[in-house]
Amino acid sequence: MSSIRLFLIASILAILTLFNFVAALQGYQASLREAEQLFDNQLYQTAKLIANLHTEQIQTPPSPQNNLAYQVWHNNQLIATSSPSLRKPIIELLPGFDHANFNGYRWRTLVFYDDNHNNWIIVAERSDLRYMLAESVITQAVLPILLGIPLAGLLIWLIVSRGLKPLRDLSEQLKNKQANDLTPIAIPDLKSELKQVNHSINALMRRLGSALDREKRFTADAAHELRTPISALKVQLHNLREEVPQGNEAFAQLEAGVERMQHLVEQLLSLYRSTPEEFSHQMTRLNLYELAQEVIANQHHDFEKCNQLLELEGDNCFVEGDPFALTTLLQNLLSNANKYTPPGGQIRVTTEAVGGHICLKVEDSGPGISPTDYSKVFERFQRLSHIKDVAAVQGCGLGLTIVKHIADLHNARTSIAPSSFDTGTAFIILFPRTPDSHD
């Protein structure tokens, strides 16, 4: 059973029902014994009453509804009976209680010897009628217990629900916490059973916060510390270029390695800046189309060098976002398209309103990505090996990771699809649409 509430209620009700059943059964059996004793005592009093009435030679008219039968015997002669058909002894003349069958019924019998008149008195009462009466009385006593079980179930439900309220409050606080909120959870008047759980959760948050701080410091410190020697290397390479023959392959590889290292450092810094702790929540209303124009203008020379056709289509679409983060997102998408689109290829950026979203699409005519690899491209340091000459393409495998991370910070959905060109890939970012997203 997946619900603690249902488990507790079902268990308590099962135990309560079991105990009520056992108690009702014991009470039923005990009540039957007491009723039997009462009826037997009544039968004995009836026998004494008959003995004192001097019923000799008195015949009682037969009554099919009568539940009582009697005989009075004196010296083996029947001197009184409740029915003319009862001419033989109902039961053997031995003092005490017993059972007998006659007239189609089972009867409880009592043989009583009257010392004063030397008479044997036999009194019989139908067993079925006395059981019916006893069961009627007992049922009226037991029925409230059985009917009280549903009411007890309702009360147990309310009590258990009330008892689980602190657990619901704890769950609600956890659910409402933001991704960057690692502050301790404080619930007033927390029950003792949940104090340890709350303490463990807060301890976990402290450890998680410490781990994130260490990762943040390491990324920032490593990136900043690497910038200085990289800058020094670039200065030395610039000075060395005049002394190295034109077209030296080793020198070209050295320059490419330094550029790659600088690119990796810059990407690490971008990834660090876009973490929830550093991300600015003071989002502004941005025109996504105009932002794309600015980024394309700044990076247009990269596409011109590769003789690539870069197009911007769509309308003015507005989103709530951070300017720096969205600029980084567009730069990485365009840089990725520039790297993997062959010379003379096409790249298209589109901004448009689609249903309840604002769509940003960047598609190219490059080699494309296999659908089985769609989920891999957003992983850190992931570079798809099936793409020809991928090693020759400058990159560190962080660009699309940063794109996905920034999109998540803006509550946007990221997806990949084939491009509208003959080959290539389309990266699609769907931002939440606001009432004034399209002007």
Side-chain angles (χ1 to χ4, degrees):
M1 191 174 294
S2 58
S3 171
I4 296 178
R5 179 191 290 108
L6 291 179
F7 172 76
L8 291 175
I9 293 172
S11 301
I12 295 172
L13 272 180
I15 295 173
L16 184 63
T17 303
L18 177 63
F19 274 98
N20 278 342
F21 174 77
V22 172
L25 181 62
Q26 293 293 330
Y28 177 80
Q29 293 175 343
S31 299
L32 276 182
R33 288 192 295 269
E34 291 182 5
E36 186 77 9
Q37 291 177 0
L38 289 174
F39 286 129
D40 286 348
N41 184 59
Q42 182 180 7
L43 202 61
Y44 178 76
Q45 297 299 328
T46 301
K48 290 181 66 176
L49 179 61
I50 292 174
N52 293 328
L53 287 178
H54 305 287
T55 57
E56 291 86 347
Q57 305 305 324
I58 298 177
Q59 299 296 328
T60 304
S63 173
Q65 301 298 328
N66 194 3
N67 66 332
L68 185 68
Y70 67 89
Q71 290 178 326
V72 180
W73 294 83
H74 182 77
N75 295 329
N76 293 327
Q77 290 184 355
L78 181 63
I79 61 175
T81 181
S82 60
S83 174
S85 62
L86 297 176
R87 308 309 300 176
K88 295 181 179 180
I90 295 174
I91 196 170
E92 187 177 356
L93 298 178
L94 294 174
F97 291 94
D98 205 341
H99 289 88
N101 298 320
F102 62 92
N103 287 347
Y105 293 102
R106 181 77 169 170
W107 299 73
R108 178 68 168 171
T109 62
L110 170 62
V111 178
F112 177 75
Y113 181 72
D114 182 9
D115 293 331
N116 295 329
H117 304 92
N118 295 322
N119 291 335
W120 287 93
I121 301 170
I122 302 175
V123 184
E125 187 178 32
R126 278 174 53 180
S127 298
D128 61 325
L129 295 179
R130 64 157 52 186
Y131 281 136
M132 286 175 59
L133 181 60
E135 288 182 353
S136 175
V137 174
I138 296 169
T139 301
Q140 292 180 7
V142 173
L143 190 60
I145 298 177
L146 300 178
L147 293 178
I149 292 178
L151 179 60
L154 178 60
L155 293 176
I156 292 171
W157 176 279
L158 295 175
I159 292 171
V160 170
S161 298
R162 176 68 177 176
L164 291 177
K165 186 178 182 299
L167 187 59
R168 291 197 303 272
D169 294 341
L170 179 61
S171 174
E172 194 68 22
Q173 285 208 26
L174 286 172
K175 182 176 69 174
N176 293 332
K177 268 188 171 295
Q178 299 297 323
N180 61 337
D181 183 8
L182 296 177
T183 57
I185 295 176
I187 299 179
D189 302 325
L190 191 64
K191 303 299 181 183
S192 58
E193 291 81 2
L194 286 178
K195 285 183 178 178
Q196 183 60 41
V197 176
N198 188 39
H199 176 75
S200 299
I201 291 174
N202 289 336
L204 175 62
M205 286 188 174
R206 286 193 295 271
R207 293 196 298 272
L208 182 59
S210 299
L212 290 175
D213 287 339
R214 287 195 299 271
E215 180 182 359
K216 179 182 68 175
R217 286 195 299 271
F218 171 78
T219 305
D221 293 345
H224 283 292
E225 289 298 323
L226 286 172
R227 268 181 169 175
T228 301
I230 289 174
S231 299
L233 279 173
K234 294 190 74 173
V235 171
Q236 295 298 327
L237 285 174
H238 178 75
N239 296 332
L240 189 61
R241 184 179 291 111
E242 299 177 358
E243 303 177 12
V244 176
Q246 188 73 19
N248 187 286
E249 184 178 352
F251 185 80
Q253 291 180 353
L254 181 60
E255 278 190 318
V258 173
E259 289 293 335
R260 178 179 172 83
M261 187 181 298
Q262 184 181 32
H263 177 71
L264 173 61
V265 170
E266 294 300 329
Q267 291 288 64
L268 284 172
L269 282 176
S270 296
L271 187 62
Y272 157 67
R273 291 191 190 103
S274 63
T275 56
E277 294 81 0
E278 296 294 323
F279 185 71
S280 173
H281 292 277
Q282 301 299 323
M283 293 188 180
T284 59
R285 186 168 179 264
L286 297 174
N287 189 330
L288 199 58
Y289 184 85
E290 292 182 355
L291 183 65
Q293 283 181 320
E294 294 177 7
V295 175
I296 289 173
N298 292 332
Q299 294 186 238
H300 198 268
H301 63 279
D302 295 330
F303 299 93
E304 285 183 342
K305 287 193 300 184
C306 297
N307 194 28
Q308 295 166 340
L309 177 61
L310 179 58
E311 303 174 303
L312 174 61
E313 296 182 354
D315 307 309
N316 290 324
C317 298
F318 294 85
V319 297
E320 292 292 325
D322 178 76
F324 171 79
L326 292 182
T327 299
T328 303
L329 180 145
L330 270 166
Q331 287 173 343
N332 285 343
L333 287 176
L334 289 174
S335 176
N336 185 76
N338 172 245
K339 291 174 185 176
Y340 294 102
T341 301
Q346 293 177 273
I347 299 167
R348 182 183 298 130
V349 180
T350 307
T351 61
E352 59 183 345
V354 179
H357 299 88
I358 297 299
C359 175
L360 170 65
K361 183 191 294 185
V362 178
E363 50 188 337
D364 59 58
S365 61
I369 300 173
S370 171
T372 58
D373 292 329
Y374 283 173
S375 60
K376 298 179 182 179
V377 297
F378 295 111
E379 297 177 5
R380 291 186 178 189
F381 306 108
Q382 181 65 246
R383 305 192 74 191
L384 302 181
S385 58
H386 76 275
I387 299 178
K388 185 178 179 180
D389 298 328
V390 66
V393 179
Q394 183 180 356
C396 58
L398 282 175
L400 293 179
T401 304
I402 295 171
V403 168
K404 179 71 165 59
H405 193 61
I406 293 174
D408 291 341
L409 291 172
H410 288 79
N411 296 317
R413 295 206 309 264
T414 308
S415 60
I416 305 174
S419 73
S420 60
F421 303 114
D422 293 337
T423 60
T425 303
F427 288 89
I428 303 169
I429 313 294
L430 293 177
F431 294 91
R433 186 174 184 178
T434 57
D436 55 352
S437 294
H438 193 272
D439 288 350

